[in-house]
């Protein structure tokens, strides 16, 4: 089913005049050259009494002025009923995990994609933190979290253990949402979380290992990803981090996308290139099979964009086909970074999924 939402068809609380692109840590491409922070954007929206879903152009101000906005914003947030983002560090045997929280209520745990950290979800957090506790961990080796143990780098076990630690910390059922690499981690974690999960949402998960157990066409898609990953690894091993990151961004966001990223953002992304070969290695070496994920009983939503690379579109349908209690939804004209570029449409699907999951639990 292809879900095509025009702006006028969206519920008022999710309505957005333009797609939202973030500049904090993620691979989204802006349509203007001035970067904005969430703090500055929110400050402008609050002053104009506009909706938090409304996009406004960022002010062109010096860093000192922006810092003053950041110091002043907490009082404005409190005045409008929003809670500030808080963080905690969870100690594990394999290292420490930094988790960020906003709001109160049933927890929504969001897992970020590769080359990102928790800040991928800060805009969505503003949408949901009125009635939910939004939980945004930094996955191992990302953001403020520690890296991997040497003997656990071959699969997604380390990441899954981190999410299990988050679940133990929450001590109540929660909704788990993962995008791209975070979707693969969410799927791996779901196999061990059982009744701790209220629902599972996979937004273009990159669980490429599953393609190796599919039909001839699906295996061909795995071959395409394998060649792409090999080119990334070769560039990193040769010391060409910018080439690796350019290939990575252009594959997921379209040819020429890297050239549109502001210079400061490109400089921030380059140090993350060294982690990409390991991420691909974990995705390829994971041992989950379609028959394994078929055992999942948690209500599952799989979301995909029509403009995303073919391998991830094929994979999303394979996953949805394998999990009995799942639904597959496609957002027209959306690419791989759809949580950022089509946030309003994603929010509509999430709200519907949470409601259906609650009804199924009550039945």
């Amino acid at each position: 089913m292809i879900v095509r939402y025009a702006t006028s068809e969206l519920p008022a609380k999710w309505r957005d005049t333009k797609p939202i692109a973030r500049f904090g840590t993620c691979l989204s491409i802006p349509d203007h050259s001035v970067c904005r922070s969430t703090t500055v954007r929110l400050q402008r929206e609050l002053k104009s009494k506009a909706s938090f879903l409304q996009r406004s152009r960022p002010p062109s101000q010096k860093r000192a002025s922006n810092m003053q906005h950041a110091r002043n914003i907490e009082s404005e947030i409190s005045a409008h009923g929003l809670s500030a983002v808080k963080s905690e560090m969870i100690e594990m045997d394999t290292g420490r995990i930094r988790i960020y929280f906003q709001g109160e209520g049933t927890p929504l745990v969001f897992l970020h994609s590769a080359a990102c950290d928790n800040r991928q979800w800060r805009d969505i957090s503003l949408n949901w933190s009125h009635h939910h506790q939004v939980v945004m961990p930094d996955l191992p080796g990302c953001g403020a979290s520690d890296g991997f143990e040497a003997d656990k780098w071959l699969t997604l076990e380390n990441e899954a253990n981190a999410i299990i630690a988050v679940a133990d910390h929450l001590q109540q059922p929660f909704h788990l949402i993962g995008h791209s690499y975070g979707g693969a981690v969410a799927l791996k974690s779901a196999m061990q979380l059982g009744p701790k999960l209220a629902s599972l949402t996979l937004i273009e998960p990159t669980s490429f290992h599953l393609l190796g157990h599919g039909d001839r066409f699906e295996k061909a898609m795995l071959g395409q990803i394998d060649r792409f990953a090999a080119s990334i690894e070769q560039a990193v091993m040769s010391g060409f981090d910018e080439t690796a990151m350019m290939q990575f961004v252009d594959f997921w966001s379209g040819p020429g996308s890297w050239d549109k990223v502001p210079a400061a953002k490109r400089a921030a992304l380059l140090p993350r290139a060294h982690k990409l070969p390991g991420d691909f290695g974990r995705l390829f070496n994971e041992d989950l099979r379609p028959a394994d994920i078929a055992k999942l009983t948690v209500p599952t939503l799989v979301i995909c964009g029509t403009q995303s690379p073919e391998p991830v579109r094929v994979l999303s349908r394979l996953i949805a086909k394998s999990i009995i209690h799942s639904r597959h939804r496609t957002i027209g004209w959306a690419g791989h970074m759809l949580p950022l570029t089509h946030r309003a449409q994603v929010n509509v699907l999430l709200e519907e999924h949470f409601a259906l999951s609650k009804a199924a639990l009550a039945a």
Side-chain angles (χ1 to χ4, degrees), residues 190-208:
M191 300 299 300
Q192 305 177 55
L193 288 169
K196 295 180 181 179
L197 276 187
S199 76
L200 174 65
T201 300
L202 306 173
I203 306 174
E204 297 203 359
T206 53
S207 306
F208 297 126

Side-chain angles (χ1 to χ4, degrees), residues 256-312:
S257 294
W258 176 252
D259 294 334
K260 299 177 184 178
V261 178
K265 176 59 188 164
R266 278 182 280 172
L269 284 171
L270 288 181
R272 303 173 189 183
H274 76 279
K275 189 174 178 292
L276 295 177
D279 289 346
F280 279 115
R282 283 178 284 277
L283 295 172
F284 290 145
N285 290 304
E286 179 54 48
D287 56 6
L288 276 181
R289 296 169 175 260
D292 297 323
I293 67 174
K295 300 174 184 177
L296 285 172
T297 58
V298 62
T300 302
L301 172 65
V302 183
I303 303 176
C304 186
T306 61
Q307 303 302 306
S308 297
E310 187 176 24
V312 78

Side-chain angles (χ1 to χ4, degrees), residues 59-340:
S60 177
Q61 297 176 334
K62 295 181 179 180
R63 179 176 298 180
S65 180
N66 285 344
M67 291 176 65
Q68 182 62 46
H69 288 321
R71 286 193 293 268
N72 292 339
I73 195 64
E74 288 190 5
S75 59
E76 298 221 28
I77 288 176
S78 299
H80 286 79
L82 290 178
S83 60
V85 177
K86 303 176 182 179
S87 71
E88 295 184 29
M89 190 74 83
I90 293 182
E91 298 284 345
M92 301 172 54
D93 293 339
T94 55
R96 300 174 302 168
I97 298 297
R98 174 69 71 178
I99 312 174
Y100 297 81
F101 304 87
Q102 186 172 20
E104 297 181 357
T106 302
L108 311 179
V109 178
F110 289 90
L111 306 185
H112 61 79
S113 57
C116 293
D117 61 21
N118 75 91
R119 285 173 286 182
Q120 172 179 345
W121 302 109
R122 292 300 177 89
D123 282 331
I124 278 186
S125 177
L126 295 176
N127 302 150
W128 289 99
S129 58
H130 296 281
H131 303 292
H132 294 82
Q133 182 185 47
V134 177
V135 184
M136 302 165 286
D138 284 336
L139 293 175
C142 301
S145 293
D146 292 340
F148 297 91
E149 277 195 338
D151 61 344
K152 293 189 176 181
W153 71 273
L154 289 176
T155 70
L156 295 171
E157 179 184 356
N158 209 54
E159 284 95 337
N161 288 339
I163 306 310
I164 291 170
V166 172
D168 293 340
H169 181 80
L170 294 175
Q171 296 184 340
Q172 60 176 309
F174 61 94
H175 300 277
L176 181 60
I177 305 99
H179 170 237
S180 194
Y181 187 82
V185 174
L187 183 59
K188 172 74 172 180
S189 305
M191 300 299 300
Q192 305 177 55
L193 288 169
K196 295 180 181 179
L197 276 187
S199 76
L200 174 65
T201 300
L202 306 173
I203 306 174
E204 297 203 359
T206 53
S207 306
F208 297 126
H209 50 91
L210 294 172
L211 291 171
H213 303 285
D215 58 27
R216 183 176 180 180
F217 179 69
E218 290 161 346
K219 290 178 179 178
M221 293 295 100
L222 176 60
Q224 181 178 331
I225 290 295
D226 184 59
R227 291 188 293 273
F228 166 59
S231 68
I232 296 289
E233 182 176 14
Q234 181 178 8
V236 172
M237 296 301 292
S238 300
F240 298 114
D241 289 353
E242 183 165 4
T243 298
M245 191 57 72
M246 178 184 67
Q247 292 176 344
F248 185 75
V249 172
D250 285 359
F251 179 84
W252 291 116
S253 298
S257 294
W258 176 252
D259 294 334
K260 299 177 184 178
V261 178
K265 176 59 188 164
R266 278 182 280 172
L269 284 171
L270 288 181
R272 303 173 189 183
H274 76 279
K275 189 174 178 292
L276 295 177
D279 289 346
F280 279 115
R282 283 178 284 277
L283 295 172
F284 290 145
N285 290 304
E286 179 54 48
D287 56 6
L288 276 181
R289 296 169 175 260
D292 297 323
I293 67 174
K295 300 174 184 177
L296 285 172
T297 58
V298 62
T300 302
L301 172 65
V302 183
I303 303 176
C304 186
T306 61
Q307 303 302 306
S308 297
E310 187 176 24
V312 78
R313 287 187 279 118
V314 171
L315 176 58
S316 71
R317 292 200 175 275
L318 173 61
I319 292 174
K321 180 176 64 177
S322 301
I323 301 175
I324 297 175
H325 301 282
S326 70
R327 296 178 301 122
H328 186 277
R329 295 292 181 266
T330 305
I331 298 179
W333 307 110
H336 185 64
M337 300 308 294
L338 65 167
L340 310 178

